[in-house]
């Protein structure tokens, strides 16, 4: 489990002890968790550092109103569903969230591909990284999928798992030992050898492996957060980023419960059918029996089509 | 002066009467003005609708800290100045502001060119626009500049001003009369002629002129706000957008006083010298007397160079 | 019809007479139309000014290849369909298009909302606009829709049409006359009265109405072009921007015929079903008869659902 | 030195053998190097894969012209210098470049922070990475700077360098051996043990260190390219990304020689002075002798101020 240092925990609780008055819109569900660390993977976390707006901010902007813009809950709910169903995006850009996230570097490399966000990352040019690296739990050590070139298949056997875990731990530890050695630094930050200055941090870091943890402040708006979640909370996303997305999906539910509900309904549980798929659908509804060869869909789309409809 | 309707004022005061507790960072200067309308031009305004973060958010992100990240005011101030002087941008993206702005359409057309912002505009496809248009005050009726192809020169004489103002008012009023006529609508929204449905709003609006007022919600981060202000609070900006920028500059001062101070110092009052200008500067410092022909600067850059240095 | 001046036509034909050799990927369909003006509305046009890449650029980037990256046409086609079906976006960002567009200002105001593009607009601060304004053809003079608050309904009767057209033409002409008068300028650009300097262009322009034509260079990538086309070639888009989108859709077909085909199949002719809609769909396929009240879809979504399936 | 495989070289030469006719603007300097690999570091490269526009595209867009928009070279040159001097950005967005780059992962992590670009990266979820990692040359093995917390100081001594290089090579080789072992793969891609499927590629890759090479297609416009170059060709940039920036700076000189010249003059060789620095400058020009304490500049700004002016 991810452990914060005592200093870090104190910083967080001090931040939580500062209660202020504000005229701004507030999200009660977010106030409860603000600043607190939600553990993810073995050393990672997600912390909400700040937010702006709530469900009301979406309807307020959609209505370009002078006050809060909210009316009856049922009207607001219908509007939010309508906006999402019809792919309106700008009202959802009007609410903002800021997270502090700690994650393995290979997860950070996928995450950063979402460009519509602001990022401040902990700098390994400026500071020494901690001896913290990700080691999967045995049940997540999956073999290469045989059907999907970029996915996972079955979990590997216990013997193979042991071997993999041993290699991962040994290499990560050794690489860190040598990182410190190049820096001429002991674990506590003091020098090993006063005669050496040690290699520049920006160089020594290259010896660390991609499972080392990094951290950043990440800020985005609700629209772009949903784009992130749609891709990364999906079953095709790599497990190690999906658990972050799932944690953030829970945060979203606290923050903007109505938008969350509409997002699940119109994005996560929705499915898109191509022109050819729609033709096939109409024929099925008219009572025809269809094989792939009766349609113009390629094999893979045909299988996806059947999966969406729950046809065996 | 810009007058809000009684309904609008009530909406605003109701929003201001909702005081909540929050654990988030607060900007006291912003709480004082939240939701209130600051008049700009004859019918326009700027209202702060929401904000996220304050000066502390900048240092918190720059330090990727666990708590507020702020230390001594003098350290925070030095850090913010350092960041702006060295063109660091991402920490300033970590604070966010949302404004409700009402402005003439030709101002909105310049404003929208700043793409790194979110916008929800009042829709003239969906609603009927009000009879509100911008008429400059006589002292702002400037002639075309003779030296600057896109600027203003001297104020025109009183007779010419009268003529211009009469034309602007008459045409705007007539265009609005005809807008309503095409819509088959009276001023109060009721129909003129029950036998007619009236032209679609999305068509009728094309008869309105560019000085008609529109309004939008506009949200951006502190970094992009400074980009906006640097260009639009500049003397080369058109007067009618500059007064909006100046109003927002005052808002910025309330919101993030330290960043505002650093922004004035390192952007608004700063000047950039090209490679050739730097060479000339060094020669001047060495005691040389220089004419334009002694340098490789073109005439216009030479004049700008002298202006920056306050050389007559 | 849109008429280019002789000078403009000459400029275009001169540009077309410069044939060069290049090692870059070429799109034969684009070379045929490069620089030429495709008329839209009464005075508008779309011109392709430059492009980068073709269908091959998409597969080349998806494969991060060393050469052109293309294989058999059938493989490339399958890959492009796959990418679009699974919402991959980055390979489509690797092809770029640059257009010169002339359109009414109210169309430009919708267009500019697509932020992921580069724009250089003709400046009415710098230059005098021409006496060119959009007047709809009678068959496009639609009444306000009674069912859709932002749409059009039936075409208005001939008498009402005459009245509307007369108002639009008269107001546009008068506003332009007064624009010139304020500028102290005759139609040919010479002064009316040597004693007056004339109002600054940046001020006088505010007297023009929103149907006046403006023009710009607009550059975007294929991914963002498809986003634009999906929204603006849609039946819910205003007619006056839709005709531009349809013209550009033809351009896209010439430029990247395979991507165009896949775009029609997986975007334009596709439909998305929400979680509730999918449940209803499965029940229908299982032979149930359904009314709206048997589902949890609101009335409007239910109607859209039936329309997508072509159920009467 | 970076070696392409024979297949890759053949792919490149085949691409170069396809000469086409085009009516588009051409940059002769770019045609000469198109597709060819320019080596950077020990295994990296930069290759120009495509481009759109040349210096003419900048002036064409600035003038919203119907043809090429270029006039006399001296006029075009003056316009481009003017645009850069006055921070106009949109005309420079009208030219586009696409590069294929191979670089160490820690370089890619800095590079990707430039969000205004399109990227397709070689996927280590989908494919196995090669045994290629960056090892600095001894003369680049610098110690941590004592004055700059994120910079390099003196080169380390030969003994320390030997030790560092040995650790870097041994760890990288061992990590790769274990990467293959987890994948159950030999160097040639065949299986080690038919009874094992091997760990999923998306998991095994986490054992590789940050000096392993990755590659991507990267596309951006000339404006954003200059932003990249201003930061990354700067002396404060890490050496390992600076050599890429310098290579691309040479590419830029071939592509858009006039813009390159103006960029060097108005960005790379330019300096910005704050409000306080300008005051000090005026006092110096008036003949005053100044110490830091006579000004309101902090110590570090004062030193930068003197460095800009070349004052000992």
């Amino acid at each position: 489990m991810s452990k914060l240092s005592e200093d870090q925990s104190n910083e967080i609780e001090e931040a939580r002890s500062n209660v202020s008055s504000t005229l701004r819109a507030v999200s009660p569900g977010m106030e409860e968790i603000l600043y607190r660390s939600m553990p993810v993977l073995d050393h990672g976390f997600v912390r909400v550092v700040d937010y702006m707006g709530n469900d009301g901010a979406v309807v307020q902007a959609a209505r370009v109103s002078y006050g809060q813009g909210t009316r009856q809950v049922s009207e607001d709910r219908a509007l939010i569903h309508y906006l999402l169903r019809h792919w309106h995006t700008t009202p959802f850009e009007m609410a903002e969230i800021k997270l502090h996230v700690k994650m393995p570097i290979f997860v950070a490399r996928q995450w950063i591909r979402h460009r519509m966000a602001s990022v401040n990352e902990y700098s390994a040019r400026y500071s020494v990284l901690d001896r913290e690296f990700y080691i999967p739990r045995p049940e997540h050590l999956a073999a290469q999928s045989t059907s999907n070139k970029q996915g996972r298949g079955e979990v590997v056997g216990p013997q193979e798992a042991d071997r993999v875990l041993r290699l991962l731990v040994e290499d990560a530890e050794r690489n860190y030992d040598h990182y410190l050695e190049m820096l001429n630094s002991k674990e506590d930050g003091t020098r090993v050898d006063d005669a050496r200055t040690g290699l520049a941090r920006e160089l020594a870091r290259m010896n660390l492996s991609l499972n080392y943890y990094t951290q950043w402040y990440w800020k985005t708006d609700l629209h772009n957060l949903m784009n992130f979640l749609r891709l990364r909370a999906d079953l095709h996303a790599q497990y190690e980023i999906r658990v972050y997305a799932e944690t953030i999906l829970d945060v979203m539910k606290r923050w903007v419960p109505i938008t969350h509900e509409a997002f699940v309904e119109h994005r996560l549980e929705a499915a898109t059918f191509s022109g050819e798929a729609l033709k096939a659908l109409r024929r099925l509804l008219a009572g025809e029996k269809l094989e792939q060869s009766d349609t113009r869909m390629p094999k893979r789309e045909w299988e996806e089509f059947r999966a969406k409809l729950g046809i065996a």
Side-chain angles (χ1 to χ4, degrees), chain A residues 232-261:
Chain A
R232 303 305 179 178
D234 186 271
L235 282 179
H236 293 89
Q238 181 165 353
Y239 167 78
E240 281 77 15
I241 195 167
R242 199 166 70 235
V243 286
Y244 285 89
E246 285 164 357
T247 300
I248 297 173
L249 202 53
D250 288 343
V251 169
M252 185 190 163
K253 190 173 182 176
R254 290 179 156 274
W255 177 28
V256 283
I258 301 175
T259 304
H260 175 269
E261 175 200 274

Side-chain angles (χ1 to χ4, degrees), chain A residues 161-229:
Chain A
D162 279 358
R163 174 83 181 132
V164 162
L165 293 175
R166 194 166 55 74
L167 290 175
L168 285 173
V169 171
E170 280 177 12
D171 284 359
E173 294 285 8
R174 185 189 301 107
N175 284 22
Y176 194 83
D177 291 342
H178 293 163
Y179 170 62
L180 286 184
E181 183 173 342
M182 293 186 222
L183 291 171
N184 187 31
S185 172
K186 294 187 197 156
E187 204 87 22
D188 63 3
T190 59
R191 285 197 180 175
V192 175
D193 176 351
D194 278 346
R196 288 201 286 140
T197 46
L199 197 64
R201 288 183 285 271
E202 68 178 28
L203 283 168
R205 63 167 165 172
M206 82 173 75
N207 204 53
L208 296 177
S209 46
L210 289 162
N211 53 347
Y212 267 83
Y213 276 88
T214 185
Q215 52 181 288
W216 61 35
Y217 268 56
W218 187 70
K219 172 175 151 289
T220 196
D221 61 53
L222 181 52
H223 166 63
N224 283 291
L225 186 76
M226 291 191 285
N227 277 348
F228 175 84
L229 293 175

